[in-house]
């Protein structure tokens, strides 16, 4: 009757909500994303009535949310913290919805394909800005450096660092798509999305984005060498990894030689306080450490509004800030050591599950292994970027973060008992 009809409709509707969030997050306000996530929370509540396997990562996610709830309850800025707690709750609900839905190969394919498709116009507009110029909306480069007149692309997201963070996951996911999807059209779109995202991240001149790119390239390179080596004779295998590092070093050397501006930008990372952006971040970090010393256990309360309310009491003159410019510091100042430990546990479980699925499945179930590896590499990239920036907390990237967590969770379950359903559009032959 009506119950069975709801049961049949709730998963497709939940997938629709998830895809809508991925489709609009780079273009709309936080409020719009929040409204869609409320719908996602409703869909998840209904999906609880259709139980599926619970991923191991669900427990650290739950404890991270509970740490945010404790931080809210103990915050002297309760009203502003409530806003941050609601956002955290909706993002966690998005993870719960994704972790349930993406256990079906068809839904996983649809969600990742949606993100890659949406990343194409985002990257395309960024590349257009590089060719035709784009007005800097803020002082994004030290005015005394050789890069003062360099165009930094920002596309629809309004900030180069935010654009870099949004596009980073597209690179490993597109590589997995090229290897997994059987349709040549899907392979082509995936390759275009990955290449455009890579070029756009480079042209943001986001140093945090570049650090993330380097870390992702290293991890992904090792995994792909492993992937290829499994299919080659032992004598050839021994040469693959040294060849990878030698080729990468030679390629980077040539790049910096031919494009000096890249070397100048990377050199500014090590300029310490001689670079204005570095100096600004160091001053903010110093103030944030003072805040953590005053609120060590449960923090000031979740959310950027709470940070903005508390930070003026600690800031150095002329160094106003909207965030801590470091994800570990931001989580610690907002949710205390309790929240930081829960987040560290979450990251550890994600990495262990992601690499364990890769190692267990890359010979027998390559689709599961590749998607797990791609999502894990993307998680590592976002974490590397987050060491020196807090764009991780913005809705376009938070949505992607929890999607990646859901992919890792779903693929770890699939590694235990393979989903026999036919994939959407028969894109993947191994599902």
């Amino acid at each position: 009757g009506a119950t069975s009809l709801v049961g049949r409709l709730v998963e497709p509707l939940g997938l629709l909500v998830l895809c809508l969030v991925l489709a609009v997050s780079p273009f709309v306000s936080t409020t719009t994303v929040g409204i869609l996530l409320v719908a996602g929370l409703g869909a998840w509540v209904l999906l609880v009535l259709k139980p599926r396997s619970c991923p191991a990562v669900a427990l650290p996610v739950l404890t991270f949310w509970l740490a945010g709830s404790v931080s809210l309850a103990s915050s002297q800025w309760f009203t502003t913290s409530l806003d941050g707690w609601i956002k955290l709750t909706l993002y966690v609900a998005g993870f719960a919805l994704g972790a349930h839905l993406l256990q079906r190969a068809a839904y996983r394919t649809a969600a990742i394909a949606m993100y890659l498709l949406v990343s194409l116009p985002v990257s395309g507009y960024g590349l257009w800005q590089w060719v035709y110029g784009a007005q800097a909306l803020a002082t994004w480069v030290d005015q005394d450096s050789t890069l003062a007149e360099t165009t930094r692309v920002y596309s629809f997201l309004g900030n180069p660092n935010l654009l870099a963070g949004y596009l980073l996951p597209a690179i490993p996911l597109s590589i997995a798509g090229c290897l997994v999807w059987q349709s040549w059209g899907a392979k082509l779109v995936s390759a275009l999305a990955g290449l455009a995202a890579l070029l756009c991240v480079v042209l943001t001149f986001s140093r945090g984005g570049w650090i993330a790119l380097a870390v992702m390239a290293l991890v992904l390179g090792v995994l792909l060498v492993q992937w290829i080596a499994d299919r080659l004779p032992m004598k050839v295998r021994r040469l693959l990894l040294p060849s990878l590092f030698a080729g990468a070093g030679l390629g980077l050397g040539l790049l910096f030689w031919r494009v000096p501006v890249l070397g100048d930008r990377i050199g500014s990372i090590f300029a310490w306080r001689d670079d204005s952006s570095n100096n600004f971040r160091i001053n903010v970090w110093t103030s944030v450490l003072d805040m953590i010393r005053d609120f060590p256990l449960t923090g000031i309360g979740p959310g950027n509004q709470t940070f903005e309310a508390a930070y003026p009491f600690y800031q150095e003159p002329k160094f106003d800030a909207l965030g801590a410019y470091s994800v570990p510091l931001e989580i610690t100042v907002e949710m205390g050591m309790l929240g930081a430990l829960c987040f560290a546990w979450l990251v550890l479980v994600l990495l262990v599950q992601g690499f364990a699925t890769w190692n267990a499945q890359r010979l027998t179930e390559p689709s599961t292994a590749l998607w797990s590896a791609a999502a894990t590499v993307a998680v590592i990239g976002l974490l590397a970027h987050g060491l020196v920036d807090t764009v991780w907390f913005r809705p376009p990237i938070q949505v992607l973060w929890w999607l990646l967590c859901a992919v890792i969770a779903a693929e770890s379950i699939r590694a235990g008992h393979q989903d026999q359903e036919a994939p959407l559009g028969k894109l993947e032959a191994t599902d």
Side-chain angles (χ1 to χ4, degrees):
T3 304
S4 62
L5 179 62
V6 170
R8 288 195 299 271
L9 289 179
V10 68
E11 283 195 355
L13 288 175
L15 177 66
L16 177 62
V17 171
L18 184 62
C19 287
L20 278 175
V21 171
L22 291 169
V24 304
S25 63
F27 312 108
V28 300
S29 66
T30 301
T31 303
T32 304
V33 174
I35 292 170
L36 287 171
L37 287 173
V38 168
L41 175 60
W44 174 73
V45 169
L46 291 175
L47 285 172
V48 170
L49 304 176
K50 297 182 65 180
R52 283 193 171 179
S53 300
C54 183
V57 75
L59 183 57
V61 169
L62 176 61
T63 58
F64 182 61
W65 176 81
L66 289 173
S69 302
V70 171
S71 178
L72 166 69
S74 61
S75 176
Q76 67 185 62
W77 293 277
F78 181 86
T79 304
T80 54
S81 294
L82 183 61
D83 176 80
W85 179 83
I86 290 171
K87 291 175 183 176
L88 173 64
T89 301
L90 291 177
Y91 289 133
V92 169
F95 160 79
L97 177 65
H100 182 102
L101 292 175
L102 302 188
Q103 291 179 44
R104 293 188 63 175
Y107 292 169
R108 179 250 285 132
T109 300
I112 293 175
M114 175 60 74
Y115 164 56
L116 291 178
L117 284 171
V118 173
S119 75
L120 274 169
V122 173
S123 299
Y125 185 41
L127 296 175
W128 185 90
Q129 288 179 325
W130 174 255
V131 174
Y132 294 102
Q135 180 182 0
L137 305 181
T139 306
W140 289 325
V141 178
D142 190 330
Q143 294 304 297
D144 296 326
S145 76
T146 57
L147 300 168
E149 302 301 320
T150 300
T151 297
R152 296 186 63 190
V153 304
Y154 49 84
S155 188
F156 300 102
L157 286 88
N159 180 287
N161 296 325
L162 180 55
L163 176 61
Y166 175 78
L167 292 175
L168 284 170
I171 298 166
L173 290 176
S174 68
I175 292 173
C178 287
L179 293 171
V180 170
W181 290 335
Q182 298 301 300
S183 161
W184 282 103
K187 286 180 183 290
L188 177 61
V189 171
S190 186
L192 286 174
L195 181 60
L198 174 61
L199 289 173
C200 218
V201 170
V202 171
L203 295 175
T204 62
F205 285 84
S206 167
R207 295 174 298 175
W210 287 3
I211 291 170
L213 267 184
V215 173
M216 288 199 313
L218 177 63
V219 178
L220 190 58
V222 171
L223 295 181
L224 290 178
V225 164
Q226 225 181 347
W227 168 266
I228 296 167
D230 289 334
R231 292 151 178 81
L232 293 174
M234 183 60 69
K235 290 182 179 180
V236 182
R237 293 185 195 183
R238 296 194 185 103
L239 300 173
L240 279 178
L241 205 55
S243 300
L244 170 70
F245 288 123
L250 180 61
L252 287 174
L254 287 172
L255 186 63
F256 294 143
W257 176 51
R258 300 296 299 174
V259 190
V261 69
L262 297 179
D264 291 344
R265 185 65 172 157
I266 288 179
S268 69
I269 295 174
F270 307 101
W272 202 236
R273 286 188 178 272
D274 289 337
D275 180 87
S276 62
S277 181
N278 293 357
N279 187 53
F280 178 83
R281 279 168 166 75
I282 293 165
N283 283 313
V284 173
W285 293 340
T286 302
S287 299
V288 169
L289 288 173
D290 290 338
M291 295 168 72
I292 291 171
R293 277 192 285 270
D294 285 352
F295 300 90
L297 186 60
T298 58
I300 61 175
N304 62 297
Q305 292 185 20
T306 307
F307 183 91
E308 291 172 34
Y311 179 75
F313 295 103
Y314 296 85
Q315 76 177 64
E316 295 187 29
K318 299 182 180 179
F319 288 95
D320 191 19
L322 301 178
Y325 287 93
S326 172
V327 168
L329 285 179
E330 186 76 38
I331 290 173
T332 307
V333 76
E334 288 185 10
M335 297 166 59
M337 293 305 299
L338 181 63
L341 288 172
C342 290
F343 183 71
W345 182 28
L346 168 60
V347 170
L348 179 63
V349 172
L350 286 170
L351 298 182
V352 168
Q353 283 204 321
F355 288 127
T357 302
W358 165 256
N359 285 321
Q361 300 292 313
R362 69 176 189 270
L363 291 176
T364 56
E365 295 293 339
S367 172
T368 292
L370 284 164
W371 286 126
S372 180
T376 306
V377 169
V379 160
I380 291 171
L382 291 180
L383 290 172
H385 190 187
L387 290 175
V388 293
D389 214 331
T390 44
V391 292
W392 185 84
F393 290 92
R394 299 286 292 275
I397 301 178
Q398 271 287 285
V399 166
L400 290 178
W401 167 266
W402 292 110
L403 172 71
L404 296 168
C405 294
V407 170
I408 293 171
E411 297 309 312
S412 70
I413 290 173
R414 199 188 316 280
H417 48 86
Q418 289 298 311
D419 194 334
Q420 298 301 315
E421 299 169 88
L424 190 69
K426 298 182 180 179
L427 286 176
E428 299 173 31
T430 52
D431 279 335

